[in-house]
Amino acid sequence: EVARIDRAGTPDPKAPAMDRPAKVTVAGAALLGAAKAAGEITDHVRLTATRDGLNVLAEGDVDRVSMDFRRGEDGIEVELGGTEDTYTSLFPLDYLTDFLKVVKDQTLVLRLGTDYPFRADWDGVTKGTYLCAPRIETTE
């Protein structure tokens, strides 16, 4: 039997403050479906937020999957701050898929920036925040 840990007096961890100018609201199940499709051809996915919506792109050696979640359709909302019209980052699918399996019944609010970790918040049946670091591409 494992004893419970007394967290009294222990502060909750704080998410680091980072400028993530894109805010996208999307259903967890829809994003999980896109991640599963991407997982058939590669181990990473590119998330791109624009004024029109969210694009999920996966490119393998011989195949490509691109799914668009359009603003105003199926509860998709997009707000872009900053000066750019496009914010994009590459993420590892294993972490993303594991996370999305847990929150597939939630509405997620994603905060994205170019080459920044994304932050996902949800407040439904459960409540939480998830951070996922981007996959770093080198050009050397």
Side-chain angles (χ1 to χ4, degrees), residues 106-129:
Q106 306 290 331
T107 297
L108 304 175
V109 177
L110 303 179
R111 297 190 182 271
L112 302 157
T114 297
D115 296 330
Y116 271 118
F118 82 78
R119 176 180 173 152
D121 295 293
W122 67 96
D123 188 1
V125 176
T126 61
K127 178 181 179 177
T129 297

Side-chain angles (χ1 to χ4, degrees), residues 77-131:
E77 297 175 23
V78 178
E79 295 176 29
L80 294 186
T83 59
E84 303 296 320
D85 290 330
T86 301
Y87 296 96
T88 187
S89 293
L90 192 67
F91 296 98
L93 268 173
D94 51 353
Y95 295 121
L96 185 61
T97 303
D98 288 347
F99 158 68
L100 291 170
K101 286 177 184 177
V102 174
V103 295
K104 66 180 179 258
D105 297 328
Q106 306 290 331
T107 297
L108 304 175
V109 177
L110 303 179
R111 297 190 182 271
L112 302 157
T114 297
D115 296 330
Y116 271 118
F118 82 78
R119 176 180 173 152
D121 295 293
W122 67 96
D123 188 1
V125 176
T126 61
K127 178 181 179 177
T129 297
Y130 179 78
L131 298 173

Side-chain angles (χ1 to χ4, degrees), residues 11 14 19 24 30 49 51 65 70 77 116 118 132 134 140:
K14 302 291 183 211
D19 182 27
V24 180
R51 298 197 187 288
V65 171
R70 294 282 171 211
E77 297 175 23
Y116 271 118
F118 82 78
C132 187
E140 296 175 18

